[in-house]
């Protein structure tokens, strides 16, 4: 038994599956956050599934299927939430479809309250070009917050090496805005770790990654990035905006 497995076995003892208060969830984070800091991603997900049961979901933007693949290995049937903003590249929707067809996960596609046409009618055409913060609030933050209501904990694929804002992202932390436990199993991974996992496990990758888009969001706000430049520099390029608000 590895040290990580021993740690996981100890942490899993006495866990319940649902019905925790906010104070109990915060206490849980205080208790295990540091212990899981150095654990492998599989162990972190295993802990989350054992601790929260059906009140745990993985989210994926379908840049690749690494997190969904890890969850499918550790706990087949795990909910994987994909937010369809209405502005995705066709390749991103195709990756979502391929994940749903090939991995044993419960893929849930959620959408904003308004279609793009309804938003255009209410706020004017191409809100993303005039007020991307409001557009992200309507099409990303609000629908995800609503979808996560049924969970106590959610997992994201964010990594500390992605942006300055993310360098202190905990592996298991308290998301004060969502009032939920936020699990980042890949927080300590580097881009090289991701590439290695993809190669060794034949993981699905959004084809745009190989076409100059190392970080993929909505098509109006995502540009190609020249080789060697900051992988996230193609997101909201030239606006000063670096995050959609989901992780703020
Ligand atoms: S990334 Fe752009 S198009 Fe997508 S929700 Fe945000 S502002 Fe709107």
């Amino acid at each position: 038994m590895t040290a990580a497995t021993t740690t996981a076995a100890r942490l899993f003892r006495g866990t319940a599956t649902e019905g925790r208060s906010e104070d109990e969830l915060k206490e849980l984070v205080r208790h295990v956050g540091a212990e899981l800091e150095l654990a492998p991603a599989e162990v972190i997900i295993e802990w989350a599934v054992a601790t929260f049961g059906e009140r745990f979901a993985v989210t994926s933007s379908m840049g690749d299927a690494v997190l969904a693949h890890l969850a499918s290995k550790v706990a087949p049937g795990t909910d994987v939430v994909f937010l369809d903003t209405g502005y995705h590249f066709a390749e991103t929707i195709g990756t979502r479809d391929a994940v749903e067809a090939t991995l044993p996960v419960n893929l849930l596609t959620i959408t904003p309250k308004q279609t793009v046409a309804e938003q255009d009618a209410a706020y004017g055409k191409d809100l993303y070009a005039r007020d991307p913060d409001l557009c992200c609030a309507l099409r990303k933050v609000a629908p995800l917050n609503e979808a996560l209501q049924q969970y106590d904990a959610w997992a994201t694929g964010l990594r500390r090496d992605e942006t300055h804002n993310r360098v202190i992202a905990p592996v298991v932390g308290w998301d004060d805005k969502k009032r939920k436990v936020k699990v980042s199993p890949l927080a300590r991974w580097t881009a090289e770790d991701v590439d290695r996992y993809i190669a060794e496990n034949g993981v699905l990758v959004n084809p745009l990654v190989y076409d100059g888009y190392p970080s993929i969001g909505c098509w109006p706000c995502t540009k190609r990035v020249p080789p060697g430049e900051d992988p996230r520099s193609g997101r909201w390029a030239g606006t000063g905006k670096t995050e959609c608000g989901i992780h703020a």
Side-chain angles (χ1 to χ4, degrees):
M1 183 177 279
T2 66
T5 311
T6 305
T7 300
R10 179 161 48 83
L11 292 171
F12 293 165
R13 276 205 302 270
T15 56
T17 56
E18 59 183 309
R20 291 183 176 87
S21 69
E22 205 173 290
D23 284 344
E24 287 173 316
L25 292 172
K26 286 182 182 173
E27 180 58 30
L28 197 57
V29 168
R30 272 194 293 274
H31 182 61
V32 304
E35 293 205 50
L36 284 172
E37 175 62 28
L38 299 177
E42 288 90 340
V43 172
I44 297 163
I45 295 173
E46 198 179 355
W47 167 80
V49 171
T51 302
F52 303 107
E54 292 181 350
R55 296 186 65 79
F56 169 72
V58 166
T59 57
S60 176
S61 59
M62 299 298 164
D64 62 57
V66 168
L67 199 55
H69 187 273
L70 281 162
S72 74
K73 276 200 311 184
V74 172
T78 295
D79 286 356
V80 174
V81 176
F82 170 70
L83 172 55
D84 184 353
T85 64
Y87 279 121
H88 281 305
F89 292 98
E91 289 87 343
T92 302
I93 300 300
T95 305
R96 184 274 317 268
D97 292 345
V99 166
E100 187 169 30
T102 59
L103 291 180
V105 294
N106 183 34
L107 200 127
L108 303 167
T109 295
I110 61 170
T111 55
K113 272 206 164 52
Q114 293 181 315
T115 64
V116 170
E118 288 167 346
Q119 179 172 294
D120 285 352
Y123 295 90
K125 194 166 161 46
D126 300 345
L127 181 62
Y128 56 79
R130 289 173 285 111
D131 192 343
D133 285 344
L134 178 57
C135 187
C136 280
L138 294 167
R139 309 204 72 75
K140 288 190 167 187
V141 179
L144 186 63
N145 284 351
E146 192 175 329
L148 291 181
Q149 286 306 312
Q150 62 179 306
Y151 304 104
D152 286 338
W154 65 300
T156 87
L158 73 77
R159 305 194 320 270
R160 290 172 185 162
D161 71 349
E162 288 176 309
T163 67
H164 179 68
N165 293 345
R166 299 181 179 184
V167 291
I168 57 168
V171 165
V172 178
W174 176 250
D175 186 332
D176 214 25
K177 281 200 170 161
K178 295 189 173 51
R179 323 299 298 170
K180 302 198 179 298
V181 177
K182 183 174 178 180
V183 183
S184 301
L186 310 183
R188 291 186 302 110
W189 285 31
T190 62
E192 289 71 32
D193 292 330
V194 173
D195 291 344
R196 189 179 316 114
Y197 186 86
I198 288 168
E200 289 176 354
N201 295 279
V203 174
L204 280 162
V205 177
N206 189 319
L208 291 175
V209 168
Y210 304 118
D211 191 22
Y213 296 88
S215 177
I216 304 162
C218 299
W219 64 260
C221 303
T222 307
K223 288 190 165 39
R224 279 197 176 83
V225 174
E229 290 198 8
D230 174 1
R232 279 187 65 89
S233 62
R235 305 289 295 276
W236 304 285
T239 69
K241 181 175 165 71
T242 57
E243 297 278 357
C244 63
I246 286 175
H247 298 298

